[in-house]
Amino acid sequence: MARLEGDQPYQLKLPVFEGPLDLLLHLIQREQLNIYDIPIALVTEQYLAYLTSMRELNLDIASEFLVMAATLLALKARMLLPKPEESAQSEDGEEAADLQRALVDSLLEYRRFKAAALALRELEERQARRFWRAAEETLPMPPGISPEVTLNDLVTAFRSVAESLVPEEPAMIRRDEITLREKIRQILRRLSSSKRGLSFRQLLGPNPSRLNVVISFLAVLELIRLQRVIVQQPMPFGEMIVYYRHVE
Amino acid sequence: MSASRPAPFNPKSALEAVLLVAPGPATLQGLAEAIGVGADEAGSLMAELKDEYDREGRGFEIQAVAGGYRLVTRPEFAEAVNRYMKAPPPPTLSMAALETLAVIAYRQPVTRVEVEAIRGVRIDKALSTLVERGLVRELGRREGIGRPILYGTTPLFLEHFGLSSLGDLPALEEVVGEERPGIGPGGEQEGPS
């Protein structure tokens, strides 16, 4: 049976772990446990103690830590169940064994890569102590460019190319066709001269642009909010009819 | 021997000259073409030159890195160089980034989800750091559901860690053994399976 080292109280000096596997590995190594035969109850207890300390220090606990806690608790619970009779290997027993094997596999796999990461860190530290000439900004002239070309030649060449260029038509950037404010005024004007109201389609006019549709819709919404118009829709998905609302 | 006679063309010195100005790791092939010898010949000249530097205790050495060779200062003179350059030490990678990088380096091409399965945590942040620093890049996509992005290391990764090629990575089992030197020659206890 493994037991806590020297029965020390759990100390609130929290090392940082990269994840639940890192934490588990740390607990296993600290207690010198056999990774292939982890005393689940002990490890679970210590794992949860660590999470509790994290919470007491108001540290954010990444969800992965909680998932691992749940896995450990599930394992522990299954192990506490009475041993199945020899003849009928219960599914629970097998499941627990599978779960533990999977956990051990992930721990071993993680441990290999953690060791690899530490090895990379050593390589990085060593390489950081080496220096070399950086690639220079001014590279020697690449092959194919004649060194006889002078600055003057380049300027002349540029000028002749520039002069032969046909000036491009300046691109037109169209202003917004209409602003919301204008559209509201326009709609009010048209509605006030129409007794029977106008359909939204009529308000848009023929071939409205997408922008016009959007602005008109916004204008109608705004007018509804201001209680200047009333909108009716006789049928679902049918035409919206906009009426001017006369105010005294 | 007369000092006034021009020295005969020495291909080893020529190799040294090209190494000095090469902007990145110089390949044997490129060096061989530049000095007009075969690649094998360039390889043995390189080895001789490297030996000479080591024997004479020069301030620089030849490092085989990222598929080529480069003149680099020796690590023991880092302090002197840093003092002269007045340069802050280059930023090193966090443990999270290193772990992520380790999985990608050994398992490439590999998807984000596969790396996360091994590390047991999400790696979005570490992964984007590695991509930003040019140590990891997208290699394409895996055929299949979702066509996840495959990641792998870059030549800069090799340069950052001073590796000649991916084959230079420390063997995975090996590093596990080195990790726990205190356990003794018995090493890993094998549990009942």
Side-chain angles (χ1 to χ4, degrees):
Chain A
M1 270 287 264
R3 75 197 150 69
L4 274 168
E5 224 174 352
D7 293 324
Q8 286 170 340
Y10 195 89
Q11 287 184 358
L12 281 189
K13 212 182 108 196
L14 288 189
V16 179
F17 295 102
E18 293 301 330
L21 292 172
D22 197 19
L23 170 54
L24 265 186
L25 209 54
H26 166 79
L27 296 175
I28 288 166
Q29 277 168 4
R30 192 185 62 187
E31 305 297 330
Q32 302 186 339
L33 304 173
N34 179 355
I35 197 166
Y36 294 95
D37 188 21
I38 309 166
I40 293 293
L42 176 79
V43 167
T44 305
E45 184 189 307
Q46 297 197 355
Y47 186 92
L48 293 177
Y50 179 82
L51 291 200
T52 306
S53 322
M54 275 179 87
R55 194 168 295 138
E56 279 163 5
L57 292 179
N58 282 328
L59 296 175
D60 281 338
I61 300 177
S63 57
E64 295 99 348
F65 282 97
L66 301 177
V67 172
M68 177 61 78
T71 307
L72 288 172
L73 286 170
L75 250 176
K76 187 179 159 191
R78 290 203 176 122
M79 288 177 157
L80 289 176
L81 290 175
K83 293 268 184 213
E85 289 167 26
E86 276 181 38
S87 53
Q89 274 280 353
S90 95
E91 280 181 20
D92 263 1
E94 293 229 321
E95 241 178 74
D98 285 350
L99 209 54
Q100 177 149 13
R101 208 170 300 133
L103 182 60
V104 169
D105 284 349
S106 342
L107 278 172
L108 289 173
E109 180 89 322
Y110 174 71
R111 193 175 67 175
R112 295 169 77 207
F113 284 104
K114 186 174 168 64
L118 291 171
L120 282 182
R121 168 174 280 175
E122 273 178 31
L123 289 175
E124 182 187 42
E125 278 169 3
R126 190 151 178 83
Q127 186 69 355
R129 298 177 59 78
R130 296 189 171 97
F131 299 85
W132 52 87
R133 277 165 35 93
E136 278 188 46
E137 299 287 317
T138 52
L139 290 171
M141 201 173 285
I145 291 187
S146 162
E148 280 103 61
V149 174
T150 65
L151 180 62
N152 249 337
D153 296 335
L154 288 176
V155 171
T156 313
F158 176 79
R159 227 178 243 147
S160 72
V161 172
E163 277 164 11
S164 70
L165 288 177
V166 182
E168 271 181 60
E169 282 291 310
M172 290 289 289
I173 299 174
R174 299 170 72 103
R175 281 179 70 108
D176 291 351
E177 289 168 58
I178 189 161
T179 65
L180 185 59
R181 184 185 297 270
E182 283 172 65
K183 182 51 95 178
I184 286 174
R185 245 182 243 137
Q186 195 185 57
I187 288 177
L188 279 180
R189 225 173 17 243
R190 286 190 63 191
L191 284 179
S192 61
S193 59
S194 149
K195 296 221 166 95
R196 302 176 52 204
L198 289 168
S199 73
F200 186 64
R201 205 177 293 274
Q202 282 171 311
L203 279 177
L204 292 177
N207 301 325
S209 69
R210 185 195 297 256
L211 185 69
N212 194 352
V213 175
V214 172
I215 297 281
S216 300
F217 189 69
L218 288 177
V220 170
L221 287 181
E222 182 67 10
L223 286 169
I224 294 171
R225 188 182 74 82
L226 296 171
Q227 303 192 344
R228 301 291 300 275
V229 301
I230 297 167
V231 174
Q232 285 185 345
Q233 194 174 28
M235 279 175 13
F237 305 110
E239 276 282 10
M240 282 190 300
I241 314 291
V242 187
Y243 298 94
Y244 190 71
R245 184 171 161 175
H246 294 274
V247 277
E248 279 77 45
Chain B
M1 250 206 216
S2 150
S4 62
R5 259 219 329 258
F9 181 78
N10 179 346
K12 202 199 308 178
S13 301
L15 183 102
E16 187 178 34
V18 178
L19 262 188
L20 178 70
V21 296
T27 61
L28 269 190
Q29 186 60 41
L31 290 166
E33 279 168 26
I35 64 176
V37 299
D40 287 351
E41 170 78 3
S44 48
L45 290 173
M46 184 71 75
E48 282 177 34
L49 200 56
K50 187 172 164 48
D51 278 353
E52 279 173 31
Y53 289 168
D54 292 347
R55 232 184 5 254
E56 294 167 15
R58 308 299 294 256
F60 46 84
E61 60 183 335
I62 294 176
Q63 186 178 35
V65 67
Y69 295 85
R70 181 150 65 189
L71 281 182
V72 301
T73 65
R74 288 186 196 274
E76 48 265 50
F77 305 119
E79 280 71 25
V81 176
N82 269 329
R83 268 195 300 274
Y84 184 80
M85 303 291 284
K86 297 184 177 68
T92 51
L93 294 166
S94 69
M95 204 55 211
L98 281 170
E99 281 186 13
T100 303
L101 191 54
V103 179
I104 292 174
Y106 286 89
R107 285 288 156 85
Q108 58 186 312
V110 67
T111 67
R112 180 175 58 77
V113 172
E114 288 164 346
V115 181
E116 288 177 345
I118 290 175
R119 286 198 57 215
V121 291
R122 293 187 63 88
I123 62 159
D124 310 56
K125 227 182 115 198
L127 186 58
S128 60
T129 303
L130 292 171
V131 171
E132 265 168 38
R133 291 195 56 174
L135 301 171
V136 164
R137 66 184 160 144
E138 296 183 12
L139 294 179
R141 285 172 181 273
R142 171 166 297 157
E143 291 308 322
I145 299 163
R147 299 186 15 91
I149 297 169
L150 291 167
Y151 294 94
T153 53
T154 61
L156 191 61
F157 162 77
L158 297 174
E159 290 190 39
H160 188 79
F161 292 95
L163 300 167
S164 179
S165 71
L166 289 175
D168 259 13
L169 283 168
L172 266 187
E173 274 78 15
E174 214 173 276
V175 292
V176 167
E178 286 168 2
E179 178 207 11
R180 304 161 73 192
I183 285 217
E188 202 88 55
Q189 321 101 295
E190 288 291 328
S193 54

